[in-house]
């Protein structure tokens, strides 16, 4: 199995490792900055493509991994699908629901050959949580709380083109919420504040977010996001059901426990970088990608998943603006 | 120090114990059901009052504890204040903000002699959390989450006259939110579902609640309530600030840790009764009551606190009905 | 039920509270220092006895609590038994096995009316651990580890007359070991070091102890003691069995959990005073004392228990001296 | 850097992975069972050596990894050193101290080019514990407790030739004890029981071990071993010092926390296989091996370390037989 990698930045490198550790090979790498593509090909193998077309016409290539800037996703995705390739596309599909819908219309049924890069679905603890849910451990879900906090805000220059916190950061949580709830949220309420950095507010964005969603059956879901967390990368999920609760807690970097003269009982610290936290999940999503591809099954995270998360994010933005519940009919 | 106890039900008995363990005495007990008053006086000392008036004219009585049904609170409170007594009044003041405001107007400055029974303020862990906040451990607060779940719903007959979940149950959390935030919430959003028992919905109430509040400075606060929790009395608070977080976790009934053949690492269980959970807090509020009284200081929980929690609850009810943010100006 | 209290020091006061909270009354108090007895009687009720005899001839007295210095225990115990009283005697019975055996011979069957003050048996978590053991949760016991560390050494003056660390401190652990093992240790190995304070070594004692015991069936038990623990009063028990393990962990003073900028996940601190740690156990042993007395059952902690713990301590001292296993036949 | 791998069994395969993930290559593999060597070479690269000599004369080989049965270690080690290679040798060096001493005499100063496979030294949490010790976090060490329990006993056929539990299993703990104490244990006491399987006793071995050691300065160390642990692979270290304690707790397989109707607060389960538990440590020891080799430093675990652990194990066996403390002078 050979994969063409579009993009050679940090996240593309993570995918290169994931592709190889899943037992596949890189056919080649394309990046607008040729020297970045050369460096990546040097480290992970494969040739250097002069342009995207070169990757798409390479007959050895069975799958294309899109890890370029968000505004190129739809174009490359449509072309890769047209070239008959299987596609892995980093989240988000696009910053605009309208454009994502248009993309869906253009690729039609081939949407079933597209996996969106919601890596968190593949986290060991989140996966185990879902397994226990599926076994009925806590019965029917009544409430879901997702806490997701970054250690520190990205540079303002990045944030300014990120589409806003809901599409850039909360989108992962919208996806996890849908996955865990097993039912579409149909109402969204959101509120945002600027508490971390006034520059974020000046750029028209928020850095601290609360979301409340409801499904048709009345199950409620909270999402809490902040762009800064002093103690590391805080990523927790708590599902409350009629028979109990399941909580995914933060992994700590080791199992050391310390008691000193002030008497406090200290555990170790959280990881403070998303790649440390989710490195296994990034790898596992490629194992899943290939396993489903080989078995002729649709991917574990579909184009529709990517689209729906985007719709919820857009509804959240409207809710912040209008200070009321926004309905997001399931479709 | 002698206290007249109005009411002889379960919560009145808790106050009788609290009063005595704080070193004061019961002057007497009144209850509509005379035999209940006799039983209480038999156990905790003091005479049996034929009616409320008898308690209020008893010259030995310095303070009056009101633990009768909610719809009598305002009447007894006004009369006790008029009789020159210090007053402890169970929460809520009343089910109606209008009546509570009217009460405030009638008692005037004497509101400073009235303590409202928000016992949770006196919980050891919550108190320690506030102490650490006050020391600046986590800097400025950015987010507050309060989870408060009852083990099982009260009988429908009780719930029907409770004023609804926001005034009956969430009111404690509104109070804790105000206390911890150190700033008035000025916007309330709430949503409610019926997930536990359809009879609760038929009675016009909800059993599962999400609240999002904001202060003027943009600090956000979530409250999650449910009327049923399979694993016990779930009462947690998490404060997230610029420099870290403070979490009040559930106490467990003992410190046993068990590992069995399935390998799971089990701690002990939660308490499943609010009196087990908060029994020390119920006692501590009386220690505080007498300490402030003797020192000539206003009580730790004021009439205004009781009123403000009620206003937030009423705003929450409006928000559920109108599906939008309700403003609750600080005053 | 009325109890005569011999002794009016700190531990006697704890017993006075325990007796009263168990629903019994103090008939009177004796102490060599009359003013101490007067103070205690003033606080907890009862008369002041001029001497021990006065307490023993008081016809209202049904039980005698001995909380005087260790070297008086045997004398008072023999006399109280002879006067037909039920007896509670603080640990240890005596510092000499020979004297304790002589005491046993003198009181004969009345040993069944004597409870020894091994309060830890009544600790909530230890009791729950034994309950789970009794239910067969971990099957047959294979190993028991007891860690018991004091926050700080008592004054040298006290230690010098304490009988040595094994009889003064480890004796509690010898008792807990016997209780939990459900089988007599028949071999003792011990080793001691002076690591905390050279003055302890100069007084002929050790401050750091390791004990290994074995029962006839080969079950092993470790006891670790130190006279100083920087982080508080460290009292843990771990039982390992064929089907799992049970651990009694240290209670913390509250349930606050803190994450700060270094990322560490901190729980609260241990209590640092044995009375804080075991105050409920001290009370519970009196509830047990009266319950068994009223039911005509022998006490939960017998004279034989006190004697056997002393024998193990003495064997431990021989083992330290002879650097080998000492046999302690069950009898 | 090229390594010749002697042995192609399970542990040899682990080393093959470690060697490659550390960036080195396999030059070839030797195993008595040629088809095993072929399979390993097929998977990890390199040629198949017809015999050990072929590996030792291969000029490309800079280091030799010995992962053959214990009774071949000394022979191969001496020959590999004579051939000028750097050597990694699985633990134990040999089952006999006498033979290990003889080996040392034969290799002389080249012992500095030999690393012994005490993989646990490289465990993330144990390494962090030592780092904190080195920083003085808990001051001077006063006590060390090592608990090490296997999920289930190896087959009797294996155990019969293992050299006994002290040389086969405890030897890791003797090594960790020396490493952490930073001072040689000079006295050993051990006791053993047969509690898991009578067949182990019939083979002349024990399955449950307690060890107490002391250093010259009086620091005490306990080691607890059992061949069976119902709840998984239980590997803990607790260091108690004058200023606090450091504990390496068991890692759990994920961070899920579950509360169900019985109220218990459950964490996830322990790993139940030593390769799952220590896989990162197995890899890290190879990173260390190459780093020291390239820097011209002696290895992190020396021949002397392997020898000393063996001496402690042999002293433990004598202590079990003679039921007394055995002195093991540092040299």
């Amino acid at each position: 199995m050979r994969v063409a990698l579009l993009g050679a930045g940090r996240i593309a490198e993570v995918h290169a490792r994931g592709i190889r550790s899943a037992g596949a090979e890189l056919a080649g790498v394309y990046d607008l900055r040729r020297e970045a593509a050369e460096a990546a090909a040097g480290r992970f193998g494969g040739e250097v493509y002069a342009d995207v077309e070169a990757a798409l016409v390479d007959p050895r290539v069975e799958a294309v991994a899109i890890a370029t800037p968000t505004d190129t996703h739809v174009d490359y995705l449509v072309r890769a699908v047209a070239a008959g390739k299987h596609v892995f596309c980093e989240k988000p599909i696009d910053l605009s629901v309208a454009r994502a819908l248009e993309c869906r219309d253009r690729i039609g049924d081939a949407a079933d050959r597209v996996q969106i890069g919601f890596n968190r679905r593949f986290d060991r603890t989140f996966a185990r949580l879902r397994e226990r849910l599926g076994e009925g451990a806590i019965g029917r879900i009544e409430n879901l709380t997702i806490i997701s906090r970054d250690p520190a805000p990205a540079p303002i220059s990045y944030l300014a083109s990120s589409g806003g916190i809901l599409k850039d950061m909360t989108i992962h949580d919208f996806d996890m919420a849908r996955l865990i709830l097993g039912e579409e949220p149909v109402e969204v309420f959101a509120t945002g504040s600027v508490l971390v950095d006034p520059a974020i507010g000046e750029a028209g964005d928020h850095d601290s977010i609360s979301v409340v969603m409801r499904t048709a059956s009345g199950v409620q879901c909270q999402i809490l996001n902040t762009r800064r967390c002093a103690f590391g990368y805080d990523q927790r999920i708590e599902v409350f059901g009629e028979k109990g609760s399941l909580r995914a807690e933060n992994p700590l970097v080791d199992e050391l426990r310390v008691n000193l003269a002030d008497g406090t009982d200290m555990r170790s610290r959280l990881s403070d970088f998303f790649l440390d936290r989710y490195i296994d999940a990034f790898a596992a999503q490629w194992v899943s990608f290939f396993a489903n591809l080989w078995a002729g099954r649709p991917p574990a995270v579909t184009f529709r998943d990517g689209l729906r998360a985007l719709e919820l994010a857009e509804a959240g933005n409207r809710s912040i603006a209008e200070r009321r519940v926004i309905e997001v009919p399931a479709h």
Side-chain angles (χ1 to χ4, degrees), chain A residues 86-158:
Chain A
H86 289 268
V87 178
F88 173 95
C89 181
E90 253 307 317
K91 48 94 351 198
I93 296 172
D94 193 90
L95 294 180
S96 142
V97 168
R99 266 181 65 82
L101 283 168
E102 190 189 310
C103 177
R104 186 194 59 184
D105 293 343
R106 290 179 62 186
I107 61 176
D109 290 346
D112 285 353
R113 281 187 276 129
V114 178
Q115 177 165 331
I116 304 300
F118 285 129
N119 57 290
R120 293 186 194 172
R121 291 188 174 214
F122 301 92
D123 173 76
R124 181 178 61 173
T125 299
F126 299 161
R128 180 68 185 138
L129 181 149
R130 288 207 298 135
E131 198 178 306
R132 297 287 280 139
L133 266 182
E135 294 163 5
I138 62 165
R140 173 193 157 140
I141 297 179
E142 294 177 2
N143 199 285
L144 169 63
T145 301
I146 300 178
I147 292 176
S148 178
R149 294 175 175 133
D150 278 356
I156 293 294
S157 58
Y158 169 84

Side-chain angles (χ1 to χ4, degrees), chain A residues 120 148-154 168-169 225-230 232-235 274:
Chain A
R120 293 186 194 172
S148 178
R149 294 175 175 133
D150 278 356
D168 180 54
M169 187 171 163
N225 283 168
T226 48
R227 286 280 190 191
R228 177 191 61 195
C229 178
Y233 193 47
D234 187 15
Q235 301 274 308
F274 80 100

Side-chain angles (χ1 to χ4, degrees), chain A residues 237-248:
Chain A
I237 293 179
E238 178 164 347
V239 199
F240 178 82
E242 60 180 339
K243 296 181 187 167
S245 81
L246 300 170
R247 279 184 264 179

Side-chain angles (χ1 to χ4, degrees), chain A residues 200-261:
Chain A
I200 294 174
E202 286 153 22
D205 202 355
H206 298 96
D207 52 42
S208 303
I209 287 288
S210 299
V211 175
V212 179
M213 304 196 290
R214 280 170 57 108
T215 67
S217 73
V219 179
Q220 298 167 12
C221 168
Q222 288 75 32
I223 299 173
L224 304 189
N225 283 168
T226 48
R227 286 280 190 191
R228 177 191 61 195
C229 178
F231 50 89
Y233 193 47
D234 187 15
Q235 301 274 308
R236 285 175 284 152
I237 293 179
E238 178 164 347
V239 199
F240 178 82
E242 60 180 339
K243 296 181 187 167
S245 81
L246 300 170
R247 279 184 264 179
E249 301 232 317
N250 287 309
L252 303 181
V253 298
D254 57 51
E255 284 75 32
L256 194 64
R257 187 169 166 183
V258 182
N259 288 83
L260 298 183

